[in-house]
Each structure stands twice: as structure tokens, then as C-alpha cells.
Amino acid sequence: QVQLVESGGGLVQPGGSLRLSCTASRSIFSATFLAWYRQAPGKERELVASFTSGGILKYADSVKGRFTISKDNAKNTVYLQMNSLKPEDTAVYYCFANWGLGGYWGQGTQVTVSS
């Protein structure tokens, strides 16, 4: 069983920054898909940013130019750098990873953007 542990969420003012981390209990070097999703109250979970094994990055239109996904294979960790945060970015953020035989979710970390 693979575990994904997220950290880095919290309360931040509009315009501020946060960096989320997701550490896996298995090597992410061989992962076929790594991603961050988010779910706001009353809304469906949505894809925020992702890596494919071919090195392709994708971002939701709402976060392009503000969020950056990255990874450190040596630390088995995926990051989400979030800049210029807006109140509409408030959500629970989830890490997701797939090694080709099924995906795994983290427990989620709350991000609240409010003055």
C-alpha cells in the first residue's frame, strides 16, 4: 500500500504564497502520472497541475502563471508552489500518484485564502 502525505497548507492573505509538499512511500521516479487536485466546498474535485511520465506538464487555466508543479525524485516528493493566491483558490488540495496499476490519493491539506 502506497502512502502519500501532504503538508504545507494553511491560511494566507490574498496575493500571498504557499508551497505544498507531497511525499510518497514509494519511488516517484517510475510514476506514470503525478498531480495536484483541489476541491472547494460544494464543488467537484478538479485537476490543478500534473506531470506525465513523458515530462508533459499541464495546468488548469485558472492557475496558469501562478502555480508551478515540480518534483524531487531523490526525496520522492512532489511540490506545488502557489503564488498570487486568490480567495477562489481556497480548497482542500490533494496529491495523486499513479504507477500504472492504479492511483493513490493523499489525505488532503486545507488552503484558505482570506484577509
Side-chain angles (χ1 to χ4, degrees):
Q1 184 73 9
V2 176
Q3 289 188 325
L4 301 176
V5 179
E6 298 119 332
S7 61
L11 173 65
V12 63
Q13 292 187 341
S17 298
L18 283 174
R19 188 177 80 156
L20 305 183
S21 300
C22 170
T23 300
S25 60
R26 174 178 176 175
S27 172
I28 64 170
F29 179 77
S30 58
T32 58
F33 185 74
L34 297 167
W36 286 96
Y37 288 78
R38 68 185 180 187
Q39 188 166 20
K43 294 188 177 181
E44 294 187 354
R45 193 171 296 191
E46 63 172 348
L47 178 66
V48 175
S50 65
F51 270 117
T52 66
S53 57
I56 297 173
L57 303 180
K58 285 188 68 175
Y59 294 94
D61 288 343
S62 59
V63 307
K64 282 181 182 176
R66 301 188 297 122
F67 290 12
T68 303
I69 188 172
S70 62
K71 62 190 176 104
D72 185 332
N73 290 333
K75 295 182 179 180
N76 294 325
T77 300
V78 184
Y79 303 98
L80 185 68
Q81 178 66 43
M82 305 186 293
N83 298 328
S84 302
L85 283 160
K86 304 175 181 180
E88 51 264 44
D89 295 318
T90 295
V92 178
Y93 284 70
Y94 297 91
C95 178
F96 177 84
N98 193 325
W99 281 267
L101 296 177
Y104 299 87
W105 291 95
Q107 81 285 357
T109 185
Q110 177 71 46
V111 172
T112 302
V113 185
S114 175
S115 55

